[in-house]
Coordinates of all heavy atoms in Angstrom, one line a residue:
L1 N -55.6 -43.2 29.7 CA -55.3 -44.3 28.7 C -55.6 -43.9 27.3 O -56.8 -43.7 27.0 CB -56.1 -45.6 29.1 CG -55.8 -46.9 28.5 CD1 -54.4 -47.4 28.9 CD2 -56.8 -47.9 28.9
S2 N -54.7 -43.7 26.5 CA -54.8 -43.3 25.1 C -54.1 -44.3 24.2 O -53.2 -43.9 23.5 CB -54.4 -41.9 24.9 OG -53.1 -41.7 25.4
V3 N -54.6 -45.5 24.2 CA -53.9 -46.6 23.5 C -53.8 -46.4 22.0 O -52.8 -46.6 21.4 CB -54.6 -48.0 23.8 CG1 -54.0 -49.1 22.9 CG2 -54.5 -48.3 25.3
W4 N -54.9 -45.9 21.4 CA -54.9 -45.6 20.0 C -54.0 -44.5 19.6 O -53.6 -44.4 18.5 CB -56.3 -45.4 19.5 CG -57.2 -46.6 19.7 CD1 -58.3 -46.7 20.5 CD2 -57.0 -47.9 19.1 NE1 -58.7 -48.0 20.5 CE2 -58.0 -48.8 19.6 CE3 -56.0 -48.5 18.3 CZ2 -58.1 -50.1 19.3 CZ3 -56.1 -49.8 17.9 CH2 -57.1 -50.6 18.4
R5 N -53.7 -43.7 20.5 CA -52.7 -42.6 20.3 C -51.3 -43.1 20.6 O -50.3 -42.3 20.4 CB -53.0 -41.3 21.1 CG -54.2 -40.6 20.5 CD -54.4 -39.3 21.3 NE -54.9 -39.7 22.6 CZ -55.2 -38.9 23.6 NH1 -55.0 -37.6 23.4 NH2 -55.7 -39.2 24.7
G6 N -51.2 -44.3 21.0 CA -49.9 -44.9 21.2 C -49.3 -44.8 22.6 O -48.1 -45.1 22.8
E7 N -50.1 -44.5 23.6 CA -49.6 -44.3 25.0 C -50.6 -45.0 26.0 O -51.8 -45.0 25.7 CB -49.5 -42.9 25.4 CG -48.4 -42.2 24.6 CD -48.2 -40.7 25.1 OE1 -49.0 -40.3 25.9 OE2 -47.3 -40.1 24.6
A8 N -50.0 -45.6 26.9 CA -50.8 -46.3 28.0 C -50.0 -46.2 29.3 O -48.8 -46.4 29.2 CB -51.1 -47.7 27.6
K9 N -50.6 -46.0 30.4 CA -50.0 -46.0 31.7 C -50.8 -46.8 32.6 O -52.0 -46.6 32.8 CB -49.9 -44.5 32.3 CG -49.2 -44.5 33.6 CD -49.1 -43.1 34.0 CE -48.4 -43.0 35.4 NZ -48.4 -41.6 35.9
L10 N -50.2 -47.9 33.1 CA -50.9 -48.8 34.1 C -50.2 -48.6 35.4 O -49.0 -48.6 35.6 CB -50.7 -50.2 33.5 CG -51.2 -50.5 32.1 CD1 -50.8 -51.9 31.7 CD2 -52.7 -50.3 32.0
T11 N -51.0 -48.7 36.5 CA -50.5 -48.5 37.8 C -50.9 -49.7 38.7 O -51.9 -50.3 38.5 CB -50.9 -47.2 38.5 OG1 -52.3 -47.2 38.5 CG2 -50.4 -46.0 37.7
N12 N -50.1 -50.1 39.6 CA -50.3 -51.1 40.6 C -50.6 -52.5 39.9 O -51.7 -53.1 40.0 CB -51.4 -50.8 41.5 CG -51.1 -49.5 42.3 OD1 -50.0 -49.3 42.8 ND2 -52.1 -48.7 42.5
V13 N -49.7 -52.9 39.1 CA -49.9 -54.1 38.2 C -49.2 -55.3 38.9 O -48.0 -55.3 39.3 CB -49.2 -53.9 36.8 CG1 -49.4 -55.1 36.0 CG2 -49.9 -52.7 36.1
E14 N -50.0 -56.4 39.1 CA -49.5 -57.6 39.6 C -48.8 -58.4 38.5 O -49.4 -58.5 37.4 CB -50.6 -58.4 40.2 CG -50.2 -59.7 40.9 CD -51.3 -60.5 41.5 OE1 -52.5 -60.0 41.6 OE2 -51.1 -61.6 41.9
I15 N -47.6 -58.9 38.8 CA -46.9 -59.8 37.9 C -47.3 -61.2 38.2 O -47.1 -61.7 39.3 CB -45.4 -59.6 38.0 CG1 -45.0 -58.1 38.0 CG2 -44.6 -60.4 37.0 CD1 -45.2 -57.4 36.7
K16 N -47.7 -61.9 37.2 CA -48.2 -63.3 37.3 C -47.0 -64.2 37.6 O -45.9 -64.0 37.0 CB -48.9 -63.8 36.1 CG -50.2 -63.2 35.7 CD -50.8 -63.8 34.5 CE -52.2 -63.3 34.3 NZ -52.8 -63.9 33.1
P17 N -47.2 -65.2 38.4 CA -46.1 -66.1 38.8 C -45.5 -66.9 37.6 O -44.4 -67.2 37.5 CB -46.8 -67.1 39.7 CG -47.9 -66.4 40.4 CD -48.4 -65.5 39.3
D18 N -46.3 -67.0 36.5 CA -45.8 -67.8 35.3 C -45.3 -66.8 34.2 O -45.0 -67.3 33.1 CB -46.9 -68.7 34.8 CG -48.2 -68.0 34.3 OD1 -48.3 -66.7 34.5 OD2 -49.0 -68.6 33.7
A19 N -45.1 -65.6 34.5 CA -44.7 -64.6 33.5 C -43.4 -64.9 32.9 O -43.2 -64.5 31.7 CB -44.6 -63.2 34.2
L20 N -42.4 -65.5 33.5 CA -41.1 -65.8 33.0 C -41.0 -67.3 32.6 O -39.9 -67.7 32.2 CB -40.1 -65.5 34.0 CG -40.0 -64.0 34.4 CD1 -38.9 -63.8 35.4 CD2 -39.8 -63.1 33.2
D21 N -42.1 -68.1 32.6 CA -41.9 -69.5 32.4 C -41.4 -69.8 31.0 O -40.7 -70.8 30.8 CB -43.3 -70.2 32.5 CG -43.7 -70.4 34.0 OD1 -42.8 -70.1 34.9 OD2 -44.8 -70.9 34.3
F22 N -41.7 -68.9 30.0 CA -41.3 -69.2 28.6 C -39.7 -69.1 28.5 O -39.2 -69.6 27.5 CB -41.9 -68.2 27.6 CG -41.4 -66.8 27.8 CD1 -40.5 -66.3 26.9 CD2 -41.9 -65.9 28.8 CE1 -40.0 -65.0 27.0 CE2 -41.4 -64.6 28.9 CZ -40.5 -64.2 28.0
L23 N -39.1 -68.5 29.5 CA -37.6 -68.4 29.4 C -36.9 -69.7 30.0 O -35.7 -69.9 29.8 CB -37.2 -67.2 30.3 CG -37.6 -65.9 29.7 CD1 -37.2 -64.8 30.7 CD2 -36.9 -65.6 28.4
N24 N -37.7 -70.6 30.6 CA -37.2 -71.8 31.2 C -36.0 -71.6 32.1 O -35.0 -72.2 32.0 CB -36.8 -72.8 30.0 CG -36.6 -74.2 30.6 OD1 -37.2 -74.6 31.6 ND2 -35.7 -75.0 29.9
L25 N -36.2 -70.7 33.0 CA -35.1 -70.3 34.0 C -35.3 -71.3 35.2 O -36.3 -71.8 35.5 CB -35.3 -68.9 34.5 CG -35.2 -67.8 33.4 CD1 -35.5 -66.4 34.0 CD2 -33.8 -67.8 32.9
P26 N -34.2 -71.4 36.0 CA -34.3 -72.3 37.2 C -35.0 -71.6 38.4 O -35.0 -72.1 39.5 CB -32.8 -72.6 37.5 CG -32.1 -71.5 36.9 CD -32.8 -71.0 35.7
I27 N -35.6 -70.4 38.1 CA -36.3 -69.7 39.2 C -37.7 -69.5 38.7 O -38.1 -69.5 37.5 CB -35.7 -68.4 39.5 CG1 -35.6 -67.5 38.2 CG2 -34.2 -68.6 40.1 CD1 -35.2 -66.1 38.4
T28 N -38.6 -69.2 39.7 CA -40.0 -68.8 39.4 C -40.3 -67.6 40.3 O -39.8 -67.4 41.3 CB -40.9 -70.0 39.7 OG1 -42.2 -69.7 39.3 CG2 -40.9 -70.4 41.2
I29 N -41.3 -66.9 39.8 CA -41.8 -65.7 40.5 C -42.7 -66.2 41.6 O -43.7 -66.9 41.4 CB -42.5 -64.7 39.6 CG1 -41.5 -64.1 38.6 CG2 -43.1 -63.6 40.4 CD1 -42.2 -63.2 37.5
R30 N -42.5 -65.8 42.8 CA -43.3 -66.0 44.0 C -44.4 -64.9 44.1 O -45.6 -65.1 44.2 CB -42.6 -66.2 45.3 CG -41.5 -67.2 45.3 CD -42.1 -68.6 45.4 NE -41.1 -69.6 45.6 CZ -41.1 -70.7 44.9 NH1 -42.0 -71.0 44.0 NH2 -40.1 -71.6 45.1
V31 N -43.9 -63.7 44.1 CA -44.7 -62.5 44.2 C -44.1 -61.4 43.2 O -42.9 -61.2 43.2 CB -44.8 -62.0 45.6 CG1 -45.6 -60.7 45.6 CG2 -45.4 -63.0 46.6
G32 N -44.9 -60.7 42.5 CA -44.4 -59.7 41.6 C -45.4 -58.5 41.5 O -46.6 -58.7 41.6
F33 N -44.8 -57.3 41.4 CA -45.6 -56.1 41.4 C -44.8 -55.0 40.7 O -43.6 -54.9 40.8 CB -45.8 -55.7 42.9 CG -46.4 -54.3 43.1 CD1 -47.7 -54.1 42.9 CD2 -45.6 -53.2 43.3 CE1 -48.3 -52.8 43.1 CE2 -46.1 -52.0 43.5 CZ -47.4 -51.8 43.4
A34 N -45.5 -54.3 39.8 CA -45.0 -53.1 39.2 C -45.8 -51.9 39.6 O -47.1 -51.9 39.4 CB -45.0 -53.3 37.6
G35 N -45.2 -50.9 40.1 CA -45.9 -49.7 40.5 C -46.5 -49.0 39.3 O -47.7 -48.6 39.3
T36 N -45.7 -48.8 38.2 CA -46.1 -48.2 37.0 C -45.5 -48.8 35.8 O -44.4 -49.2 35.8 CB -45.7 -46.7 37.0 OG1 -46.2 -46.1 38.2 CG2 -46.3 -46.0 35.8
I37 N -46.4 -49.0 34.8 CA -45.9 -49.5 33.5 C -46.4 -48.5 32.5 O -47.5 -48.2 32.4 CB -46.4 -50.9 33.1 CG1 -46.0 -52.0 34.1 CG2 -46.0 -51.3 31.7 CD1 -46.6 -53.3 33.9
F38 N -45.4 -47.9 31.7 CA -45.7 -46.9 30.8 C -45.3 -47.4 29.4 O -44.2 -47.9 29.2 CB -45.0 -45.6 31.0 CG -45.3 -44.5 30.1 CD1 -46.6 -43.9 30.1 CD2 -44.4 -44.0 29.2 CE1 -46.9 -42.9 29.2 CE2 -44.7 -43.0 28.3 CZ -45.9 -42.5 28.3
L39 N -46.3 -47.5 28.4 CA -46.0 -47.9 27.1 C -46.2 -46.8 26.1 O -47.1 -46.0 26.1 CB -47.1 -49.0 26.7 CG -47.2 -50.2 27.7 CD1 -48.5 -50.9 27.5 CD2 -46.1 -51.1 27.5
Q40 N -45.3 -46.8 25.1 CA -45.3 -45.9 23.9 C -45.1 -46.7 22.7 O -44.1 -47.3 22.5 CB -44.3 -44.8 24.0 CG -44.6 -43.7 25.0 CD -43.5 -42.6 24.9 OE1 -42.3 -42.9 24.9 NE2 -43.9 -41.4 24.8
V41 N -46.1 -46.7 21.8 CA -46.1 -47.4 20.6 C -46.5 -46.5 19.4 O -47.6 -45.9 19.5 CB -47.0 -48.6 20.6 CG1 -47.0 -49.4 19.3 CG2 -46.7 -49.5 21.8
D42 N -45.7 -46.4 18.4 CA -46.0 -45.7 17.2 C -46.7 -46.7 16.2 O -46.0 -47.4 15.5 CB -44.8 -45.0 16.5 CG -45.1 -44.1 15.4 OD1 -46.2 -44.2 14.9 OD2 -44.2 -43.4 15.0
W43 N -48.0 -46.7 16.3 CA -48.8 -47.7 15.5 C -48.5 -47.6 14.0 O -48.5 -48.6 13.3 CB -50.2 -47.6 15.7 CG -50.6 -48.0 17.2 CD1 -51.0 -47.1 18.2 CD2 -50.5 -49.2 17.8 NE1 -51.2 -47.7 19.4 CE2 -50.9 -49.1 19.2 CE3 -50.1 -50.5 17.4 CZ2 -50.9 -50.1 20.1 CZ3 -50.2 -51.5 18.3 CH2 -50.6 -51.3 19.6
K44 N -48.3 -46.4 13.5 CA -48.1 -46.2 12.0 C -46.7 -46.7 11.6 O -46.6 -47.1 10.4 CB -48.2 -44.7 11.7 CG -49.6 -44.1 11.9 CD -49.6 -42.6 11.5 CE -51.0 -42.1 11.7 NZ -51.0 -40.6 11.4
H45 N -45.8 -46.7 12.5 CA -44.4 -47.2 12.2 C -44.0 -48.4 13.0 O -42.8 -48.5 13.4 CB -43.4 -46.0 12.3 CG -43.8 -44.8 11.5 ND1 -44.5 -43.8 12.0 CD2 -43.6 -44.6 10.1 CE1 -44.6 -42.9 11.0 NE2 -44.1 -43.4 9.9
L46 N -44.9 -49.3 13.3 CA -44.7 -50.4 14.3 C -43.5 -51.2 13.8 O -42.7 -51.8 14.6 CB -45.9 -51.2 14.4 CG -45.9 -52.2 15.5 CD1 -45.6 -51.6 16.9 CD2 -47.2 -53.0 15.5
N47 N -43.4 -51.4 12.5 CA -42.3 -52.3 11.9 C -41.0 -51.6 11.8 O -39.9 -52.2 11.7 CB -42.7 -52.8 10.6 CG -43.8 -53.8 10.6 OD1 -44.0 -54.5 11.6 ND2 -44.6 -53.8 9.6
S48 N -40.9 -50.3 11.9 CA -39.7 -49.5 11.7 C -39.2 -48.8 13.0 O -38.0 -48.4 13.0 CB -39.8 -48.6 10.6 OG -40.8 -47.6 10.8
K49 N -40.1 -48.5 13.9 CA -39.7 -47.8 15.1 C -39.9 -48.7 16.3 O -40.9 -49.4 16.4 CB -40.5 -46.5 15.3 CG -40.1 -45.4 14.2 CD -40.8 -44.1 14.6 CE -40.4 -43.0 13.6 NZ -41.1 -41.8 13.9
P50 N -39.0 -48.6 17.3 CA -39.2 -49.4 18.5 C -40.3 -48.9 19.4 O -40.6 -47.8 19.4 CB -37.8 -49.3 19.2 CG -37.3 -47.9 18.8 CD -37.8 -47.7 17.4
A51 N -40.9 -49.9 20.1 CA -41.9 -49.6 21.1 C -41.1 -49.3 22.4 O -40.0 -49.9 22.6 CB -42.9 -50.7 21.3
K52 N -41.6 -48.5 23.3 CA -40.9 -48.2 24.5 C -41.8 -48.6 25.7 O -42.9 -48.4 25.8 CB -40.7 -46.7 24.6 CG -39.9 -46.2 25.8 CD -39.7 -44.7 25.8 CE -39.0 -44.2 27.0 NZ -38.8 -42.7 26.9
I53 N -41.1 -49.4 26.6 CA -41.8 -49.9 27.8 C -40.9 -49.5 29.0 O -39.8 -49.8 29.0 CB -42.0 -51.4 27.8 CG1 -42.8 -51.9 26.6 CG2 -42.6 -51.9 29.1 CD1 -42.8 -53.3 26.4
E54 N -41.5 -48.7 29.9 CA -40.8 -48.3 31.1 C -41.6 -49.0 32.3 O -42.8 -48.9 32.4 CB -40.9 -46.8 31.3 CG -40.1 -46.0 30.3 CD -40.2 -44.5 30.6 OE1 -40.5 -44.1 31.7 OE2 -39.9 -43.8 29.6
L55 N -40.7 -49.6 33.2 CA -41.3 -50.2 34.4 C -40.7 -49.3 35.6 O -39.5 -49.2 35.7 CB -40.8 -51.6 34.6 CG -41.3 -52.5 33.4 CD1 -40.5 -53.8 33.6 CD2 -42.7 -52.7 33.5
D56 N -41.5 -48.9 36.5 CA -41.1 -48.1 37.7 C -41.6 -48.9 38.9 O -42.7 -49.5 38.9 CB -41.7 -46.8 37.7 CG -41.0 -45.8 36.7 OD1 -39.8 -46.0 36.5 OD2 -41.7 -44.9 36.1
D57 N -40.8 -48.9 39.9 CA -41.1 -49.5 41.2 C -41.4 -51.0 41.0 O -42.4 -51.5 41.4 CB -42.2 -48.8 41.9 CG -42.4 -49.2 43.3 OD1 -41.4 -49.7 43.9 OD2 -43.5 -49.1 43.9
L58 N -40.5 -51.7 40.3 CA -40.7 -53.1 40.1 C -40.1 -53.9 41.2 O -39.0 -53.8 41.6 CB -39.9 -53.5 38.8 CG -40.0 -55.0 38.3 CD1 -41.4 -55.3 37.9 CD2 -39.1 -55.2 37.1
R59 N -41.0 -54.8 41.7 CA -40.6 -55.6 42.9 C -40.9 -57.1 42.6 O -42.1 -57.3 42.3 CB -41.2 -55.2 44.2 CG -40.9 -53.8 44.5 CD -41.7 -53.2 45.6 NE -41.5 -51.8 45.8 CZ -41.3 -51.2 46.9 NH1 -41.4 -51.9 48.0 NH2 -41.1 -50.0 47.0
I60 N -39.9 -57.9 42.6 CA -40.2 -59.3 42.3 C -39.5 -60.2 43.3 O -38.3 -60.0 43.6 CB -39.7 -59.7 40.9 CG1 -40.5 -58.9 39.8 CG2 -39.9 -61.2 40.6 CD1 -40.0 -59.2 38.4
V61 N -40.2 -61.1 43.9 CA -39.6 -62.1 44.8 C -39.6 -63.4 44.1 O -40.6 -63.9 43.6 CB -40.4 -62.3 46.1 CG1 -39.8 -63.4 47.0 CG2 -40.4 -60.9 46.8
C62 N -38.4 -64.0 43.9 CA -38.2 -65.3 43.2 C -37.8 -66.4 44.1 O -37.2 -66.1 45.1 CB -37.2 -65.1 42.0 SG -37.7 -63.9 40.8
G63 N -38.0 -67.6 43.6 CA -37.5 -68.8 44.4 C -37.1 -69.8 43.4 O -37.4 -69.7 42.2
P64 N -36.5 -70.9 43.9 CA -36.1 -72.0 42.9 C -37.3 -72.7 42.4 O -38.3 -72.9 43.0 CB -35.3 -72.9 43.8 CG -35.8 -72.6 45.2 CD -36.2 -71.2 45.2
R65 N -37.2 -73.1 41.1 CA -38.3 -73.9 40.4 C -38.1 -75.3 40.9 O -37.1 -75.9 41.0 CB -38.1 -73.8 38.9 CG -39.1 -74.5 38.1 CD -38.9 -74.4 36.6 NE -38.9 -73.0 36.2 CZ -39.9 -72.3 35.8 NH1 -41.1 -72.9 35.9 NH2 -39.8 -71.1 35.4
S66 N -39.3 -75.9 41.2 CA -39.2 -77.3 41.7 C -38.9 -78.3 40.6 O -38.2 -79.3 40.9 CB -40.6 -77.6 42.4 OG -41.6 -77.5 41.4
K67 N -39.3 -78.0 39.4 CA -39.0 -78.9 38.3 C -38.3 -78.1 37.2 O -39.0 -77.2 36.6 CB -40.3 -79.5 37.7 CG -40.9 -80.5 38.6 CD -42.2 -81.1 38.0 CE -42.9 -82.1 39.0 NZ -44.0 -82.7 38.3
F68 N -37.0 -78.3 37.0 CA -36.2 -77.6 36.0 C -35.5 -78.6 35.1 O -34.8 -79.4 35.6 CB -35.3 -76.7 36.7 CG -34.4 -75.9 35.7 CD1 -34.9 -74.9 34.9 CD2 -33.1 -76.3 35.6 CE1 -34.1 -74.3 34.0 CE2 -32.2 -75.6 34.7 CZ -32.8 -74.6 33.9
E69 N -35.8 -78.5 33.8 CA -35.2 -79.4 32.9 C -34.1 -78.7 32.1 O -34.4 -77.6 31.5 CB -36.3 -80.0 32.0 CG -37.3 -80.8 32.7 CD -38.4 -81.4 31.8 OE1 -38.2 -81.4 30.6 OE2 -39.4 -81.7 32.3
V70 N -33.0 -79.3 32.0 CA -31.9 -78.8 31.1 C -32.1 -79.4 29.7 O -32.1 -80.6 29.5 CB -30.5 -79.2 31.7 CG1 -29.5 -78.6 30.7 CG2 -30.4 -78.6 33.1
T71 N -32.4 -78.5 28.7 CA -32.6 -78.9 27.4 C -31.2 -79.2 26.7 O -30.2 -78.7 27.1 CB -33.4 -77.9 26.6 OG1 -32.6 -76.7 26.5 CG2 -34.7 -77.5 27.2
P72 N -31.2 -80.0 25.6 CA -29.9 -80.1 24.8 C -29.3 -78.8 24.3 O -28.1 -78.7 24.3 CB -30.4 -81.0 23.6 CG -31.6 -81.7 24.1 CD -32.3 -80.7 25.0
E73 N -30.2 -77.8 24.0 CA -29.7 -76.5 23.6 C -28.9 -75.9 24.7 O -27.9 -75.2 24.5 CB -30.9 -75.7 23.1 CG -31.5 -76.1 21.8 CD -32.6 -77.2 22.0 OE1 -33.0 -77.4 23.2 OE2 -32.9 -77.8 21.1
M74 N -29.5 -75.9 25.9 CA -28.8 -75.3 27.1 C -27.5 -76.0 27.4 O -26.5 -75.3 27.7 CB -29.7 -75.4 28.3 CG -31.0 -74.6 28.2 SD -32.2 -75.0 29.4 CE -31.5 -74.3 30.9
E75 N -27.4 -77.3 27.2 CA -26.2 -78.0 27.4 C -25.1 -77.6 26.4 O -24.0 -77.4 26.7 CB -26.3 -79.5 27.4 CG -27.1 -80.1 28.6 CD -27.3 -81.6 28.5 OE1 -26.9 -82.2 27.4 OE2 -27.7 -82.2 29.5
A76 N -25.5 -77.5 25.2 CA -24.6 -77.1 24.1 C -24.1 -75.7 24.3 O -22.9 -75.4 24.1 CB -25.3 -77.2 22.7
E77 N -25.0 -74.8 24.8 CA -24.6 -73.4 25.0 C -23.5 -73.3 26.2 O -22.6 -72.5 26.1 CB -25.8 -72.6 25.4 CG -25.5 -71.1 25.5 CD -26.8 -70.3 25.7 OE1 -27.7 -70.4 24.9 OE2 -26.8 -69.5 26.7
Q78 N -23.7 -74.2 27.2 CA -22.8 -74.2 28.3 C -21.4 -74.7 27.9 O -20.4 -74.3 28.4 CB -23.3 -75.0 29.5 CG -24.5 -74.4 30.2 CD -25.0 -75.2 31.3 OE1 -24.7 -76.4 31.5 NE2 -25.9 -74.6 32.2
Q79 N -21.4 -75.6 27.0 CA -20.1 -76.2 26.5 C -19.3 -75.3 25.6 O -18.1 -75.5 25.4 CB -20.4 -77.6 25.9 CG -20.9 -78.6 26.9 CD -21.2 -79.9 26.2 OE1 -21.1 -80.1 25.0 NE2 -21.7 -80.9 27.0
S80 N -20.0 -74.4 24.9 CA -19.3 -73.5 24.0 C -18.7 -72.3 24.6 O -18.8 -72.0 25.7 CB -20.2 -73.1 22.8 OG -21.3 -72.5 23.3

């Protein structure tokens, strides 16, 4: 792990069930797992160069969300 040099490698990472909640999707994560997450960030040029995130061996089991609300923005997007 060399975060200050702009690199990090995480292994056997559990994906939280609420990880996608901010997207307001009609599904929810039941179980999630990433075998490897590799991050590359150029801290000196953070505003001008992209950060790179690689996910390997990603496994996610999803199911329907019990409470799903359609927002006015979602309705407008479907109509256009």
